[in-house]
Amino acid sequence: MPPSPFPVSGEVLALLLEGRDAIAVWRRLLGPGDPSVGRQTDQRSIRALYGTNKLANAAHGADSPTSAAREIAHVFGPDAMLPKEEDEADTVEWA
């Protein structure tokens, strides 16, 4: 994997998730970007359980299909995504 433009403090496990509303579902599982907020509002979220602060928040998830496409190409290469149909603007399909 190429060097990351994102802060990384250790080993990385890169996942390419797919499915209807995958971005929204993953972001709900992640919880708030600040783990201390997650511990108050969403105690079972990934960041509440494993994050230590806003920078070391345990996991990342793209916030939009555009961000996802850019980040997936960076991590998995430019051919990782399948082209999507015009009427699927709110979903992303992955290879």
Side-chain angles (χ1 to χ4, degrees):
M1 180 164 46
S4 177
F6 308 104
V8 176
S9 61
E11 296 295 318
V12 173
L13 172 65
L15 303 172
L16 198 154
L17 305 174
E18 63 179 283
R20 180 170 278 299
D21 299 323
I23 293 170
V25 170
W26 179 241
R27 290 182 65 81
R28 280 194 301 274
L29 290 170
L30 288 175
D34 184 340
S36 65
V37 172
R39 288 185 195 95
Q40 301 289 319
T41 63
D42 197 2
Q43 297 85 7
R44 296 185 68 196
S45 68
I46 293 169
R47 289 174 174 154
L49 292 169
Y50 303 107
T52 56
N53 59 53
K54 287 182 184 179
L55 288 177
N57 65 9
H60 173 73
D63 61 358
S64 69
T66 301
S67 294
R70 180 182 62 251
E71 294 167 15
I72 289 166
H74 174 75
V75 173
F76 296 100
D79 297 327
M81 290 187 58
L82 295 173
K84 64 181 184 174
E85 300 294 325
E86 289 295 322
D87 61 346
E88 295 177 319
D90 64 334
T91 62
V92 175
E93 292 189 355
W94 315 103

